[in-house]
Amino acid sequence: MTVWTATDDGFADLSSHDVFANGTPHNTFERLRRDDPANWQEWSGGDGFWNLTRHADVWTANKNPQIFSSARGIRMEDQSYEEYLARRTFQETDAPEHTASRRKLFAAFSKPMMAKFEDQIREICVEILDRVLEEDSFDATRMIARELPMRMLGRVIGTPDKDLPWLVDKGDALMANTDPDFTDHVMDKLTTSDFRMMPFNSPAGAELYSYAQKLMEDKEASGDTNGVLHMIRQPDEDGNVISESEFRNFFCLLVAAGNDTTRYSLAGGIQALCGQPELIDQLHAGGEIWDRMADEVIRWATPATYFRRTATQDTELHGKTIREGDKVMLWFASANRDPNIFKDPMRVDLTRRPNQHMSFGQGGPHVCLGMWLAKLEVRVLFEEFVKRVSKVEFDGEYQFLRSNFVGGIKKLPVRITRRQRD
Ligand code: HEM
């Protein structure tokens, strides 16, 4: 089994979560990049949409929010204005509103601020690995990749450790709202829209709303002003404060975005070590490779497969007219495999330089706030992993998440060979 085989026939329906349950349809992306880079797709689930698949186009659209706006929704599904208002966070806004919210949070998520977490991350990695690696075979997603981001998120947002498993279950129900392994309310199979005012159309959103409200009240009562939750509630330069509903939605965004994406990057990295066994020796040899490994692993995994924009004016692209109001999918999963930018893109190359991947939405105003935390977690986890493991192999079939929005391996059975410690 190799890690780079795509199984789709080159004509996959990009709106279908079932397609992605068999892995990212890279053959389809390859065809679209080559033959139809501004591809219009009709959709039975809502309004049709454009698919942008070339790195250059995704990059340019992402950089131009005045034409490709985030303020009308960021997922494929259509939303009424009422739903948009009820569910939005600053991620679904454009400048100047977006800039003002982001300014408040930037320092809390900056590279130097995140670097302060390195010792804690290492401590958690060592604890997880020393426990899990006592077994020869295990599910690497569940036992390793799921654990680290969950615990770190708790530290960053300041939630009690005892609540973390519950929070992560709810976060999964939001992000993986199309996979029956993670939610009873599979979004594309629902016959009602009872939860249309909740984040991700999910009842878990309601539970997270109540939790966020209570957490904030407790923090205010105890005078706890630490962390990002306090920062986002501070007035901006014009004295505006975010509403209660925006605050609750921001909390849901962190619980959802801060967990799954890092988890599936870690799982993707372990999958790559199984499929390309030379990587583990390269990492163990150490050196400069560590400066680049997190970016390459995250490029290769691309957990956020796309984000949507909406055209604010008619725009010509590759001889076609994208009309004002049209939905436009920026397929990061395809941009990250564009051979015009990445040599041998289907392989993990730990020496890749430069690495202009777009996994974090680079180039645009919404570039991931959690990027430095995620990269640090990936590097430290693998540093500790290769100290302890000399070989890791597939131990059964791995399974992909049923989602066209979050790309990830939800089950990764592996068998390890422990390294003789020096
Ligand atoms: C490997 C892990 C991660 C990946 C691949 C990832 C991916 C992304 C992407 C692609 C965006 C841009 C969305 C857009 O263009 O609309 C984004 C935004 C965001 N991410 Fe991440 N993310 C990761 C980890 C995290 C973590 C750990 C956190 C928080 C602790 C986080 C919080 C956010 C927030 C708050 C935004 C919204 C920023 C804005 O709209 O200005 N992410 N992320």
Side-chain angles (χ1 to χ4, degrees):
M1 188 159 22
T2 55
V3 289
W4 51 85
T5 308
T7 53
D8 62 300
D9 64 1
F11 291 86
D13 171 0
L14 297 178
S15 72
S16 163
H17 303 293
D18 290 322
V19 161
F20 285 75
N22 291 318
T24 306
H26 285 299
N27 293 329
T28 299
F29 286 135
E30 187 185 358
R31 179 184 63 80
L32 292 175
R33 283 192 304 264
R34 189 186 57 234
D35 299 339
D36 191 8
N39 165 261
W40 172 258
Q41 178 170 345
E42 293 291 346
W43 186 31
S44 59
D47 292 343
F49 51 85
W50 295 95
N51 293 307
L52 301 193
T53 48
R54 286 187 185 166
H55 188 284
D57 295 330
V58 175
W59 181 269
T60 304
N62 199 36
K63 251 179 83 157
N64 284 290
Q66 65 285 1
I67 302 178
F68 296 98
S69 162
S70 290
R72 307 264 297 270
I74 52 175
R75 289 187 67 168
M76 200 173 274
E77 292 76 28
D78 300 313
Q79 280 181 323
S80 67
Y81 187 59
E82 193 192 12
E83 288 162 4
Y84 163 73
L85 284 183
R87 287 161 37 176
R88 73 172 190 165
T89 66
F90 71 103
Q91 199 178 0
E92 287 112 337
T93 60
D94 296 326
E97 196 180 349
H98 173 253
T99 326
S101 302
R102 211 175 143 98
R103 203 174 287 135
K104 284 192 239 171
L105 291 165
F106 188 72
F109 285 102
S110 66
K111 188 178 181 187
M113 189 61 87
M114 288 303 130
K116 293 184 186 163
F117 283 108
E118 178 159 348
D119 290 348
Q120 289 188 50
I121 294 174
R122 196 172 300 281
E123 209 175 282
I124 295 172
C125 289
V126 167
E127 194 273 307
I128 294 169
L129 292 174
D130 283 352
R131 180 168 41 80
V132 174
L133 299 178
E134 281 184 4
E135 303 292 328
D136 296 334
S137 300
F138 50 85
D139 175 355
T141 300
R142 189 164 63 84
M143 302 301 287
I144 297 177
R146 189 170 190 265
E147 287 283 307
L148 173 64
M150 158 168 86
R151 297 214 215 158
M152 277 317 297
L153 188 72
R155 308 273 163 106
V156 172
I157 61 181
T159 50
D161 277 359
K162 69 173 177 42
D163 296 347
L164 291 175
W166 181 87
L167 280 171
V168 172
D169 279 350
K170 299 301 161 196
D172 282 349
L174 293 187
M175 285 293 266
N177 63 354
T178 50
D179 190 320
D181 279 354
F182 293 97
T183 179
D184 295 334
H185 290 77
V186 179
M187 196 181 66
D188 57 322
K189 304 212 186 282
L190 282 179
T191 49
T192 70
S193 54
D194 289 354
F195 303 102
R196 66 194 179 87
M197 297 303 204
M198 295 292 152
F200 297 85
N201 262 342
S202 165
E207 295 176 75
L208 284 167
Y209 271 6
S210 310
Y211 182 94
Q213 188 71 38
K214 170 89 174 51
L215 183 70
M216 209 56 244
E217 284 163 13
D218 289 352
K219 279 182 182 291
E220 274 172 11
S222 66
D224 179 359
T225 56
N226 290 322
V228 293
L229 295 181
H230 177 74
M231 281 182 171
I232 191 83
R233 283 168 65 92
Q234 297 313 297
D236 67 16
E237 286 158 359
D238 300 322
N240 302 316
V241 283
I242 67 168
S243 67
E244 289 293 319
S245 96
E246 281 171 319
F247 171 74
R248 293 190 307 244
N249 287 334
F250 173 66
F251 181 82
C252 291
L253 169 64
L254 284 187
V255 170
N259 264 307
D260 290 38
T261 45
T262 313
R263 176 195 312 168
Y264 294 123
S265 298
L266 296 170
I270 297 174
Q271 183 205 24
L273 297 188
C274 294
Q276 287 180 237
E278 74 281 6
L279 298 177
I280 208 160
D281 296 328
Q282 291 173 11
L283 288 171
H284 191 242
E288 271 188 26
I289 218 161
W290 285 105
D291 301 339
R292 296 178 216 147
M293 76 80 61
D295 275 302
E296 176 63 353
V297 162
I298 295 169
R299 173 194 75 86
W300 193 76
T302 318
T305 53
Y306 78 88
F307 270 94
R308 166 195 152 189
R309 305 292 186 250
T310 307
T312 59
Q313 61 187 65
D314 290 0
T315 307
E316 296 295 315
L317 188 63
H318 301 296
K320 300 192 182 169
T321 306
I322 299 176
R323 299 265 173 224
E324 179 187 353
D326 284 353
K327 297 185 290 185
V328 181
M329 306 305 142
L330 309 186
W331 286 101
F332 300 136
S334 176
N336 279 350
R337 293 290 198 279
D338 188 333
N340 285 327
I341 303 292
F342 304 102
K343 183 166 172 277
D344 208 356
M346 293 299 274
R347 288 189 70 81
V348 175
D349 174 359
L350 296 173
T351 63
R352 200 178 287 286
R353 192 181 209 164
N355 194 337
Q356 296 162 292
H357 73 88
M358 295 201 63
S359 290
F360 293 114
Q362 286 93 326
H366 293 272
V367 58
C368 178
L369 270 177
M371 173 171 84
W372 297 111
L373 175 63
K375 290 210 272 191
L376 191 58
E377 287 183 37
V378 171
R379 174 171 62 75
V380 174
L381 188 281
F382 282 95
E383 277 174 4
E384 296 302 323
F385 188 81
V386 303
K387 277 185 204 164
R388 291 162 175 76
V389 175
S390 61
K391 188 173 180 190
V392 53
E393 299 163 274
F394 295 118
D395 190 26
E397 290 293 316
Y398 47 85
Q399 286 175 21
F400 293 95
L401 199 65
R402 181 183 181 275
S403 169
N404 69 356
F405 181 59
V406 185
I409 301 169
K410 65 179 176 183
K411 191 159 181 232
L412 179 57
V414 297
R415 188 172 51 253
I416 52 135
T417 307
R418 276 176 285 279
R419 198 177 284 285
Q420 297 299 322
R421 302 300 292 269
D422 308 323

